[in-house]
Amino acid sequence: MIDDVHLTHGLAGDELEPDWPPLVGPEVGVVLEHYPQLGGMLGLAWRSPRPLSAAALVDTRKGKAFVKRHHRSV
């Protein structure tokens, strides 16, 4: 499981607050309700360190799933 602190890669090799809010368990849980074949979410395993990305690997009862949030215009 990951913790609530989420920093991203800066251009100078430093760590910065992300431009996009990171994915969180309740938000991902709502998305995964549309995919019952995954058997439900167990937790977030990883979040993308990219500053303009909101992506995560999610542990489910059937293995890992990749979830990414996009802007409505995409």
Side-chain angles (χ1 to χ4, degrees), residues 29-50:
V30 169
V31 171
L32 292 185
E33 288 175 3
H34 297 279
Y35 301 91
Q37 66 271 26
L38 294 175
M41 184 177 95
L42 299 174
L44 299 176
W46 170 89
R47 286 190 284 211
S48 173
R50 297 176 66 192

Side-chain angles (χ1 to χ4, degrees), residues 26-70:
E27 176 184 23
V28 174
V30 169
V31 171
L32 292 185
E33 288 175 3
H34 297 279
Y35 301 91
Q37 66 271 26
L38 294 175
M41 184 177 95
L42 299 174
L44 299 176
W46 170 89
R47 286 190 284 211
S48 173
R50 297 176 66 192
L52 298 174
S53 177
L57 279 179
V58 183
D59 290 323
T60 74
R61 297 191 190 287
K62 299 293 183 172
K64 298 236 188 259
F66 180 78
V67 177
K68 181 168 180 147
R69 183 195 309 120
H70 286 283

Side-chain angles (χ1 to χ4, degrees), residues 11-36:
L11 294 176
D14 49 353
E15 292 185 330
L16 307 169
E17 293 286 325
D19 291 319
W20 281 65
L23 292 170
V24 293
E27 176 184 23
V28 174
V30 169
V31 171
L32 292 185
E33 288 175 3
H34 297 279
Y35 301 91

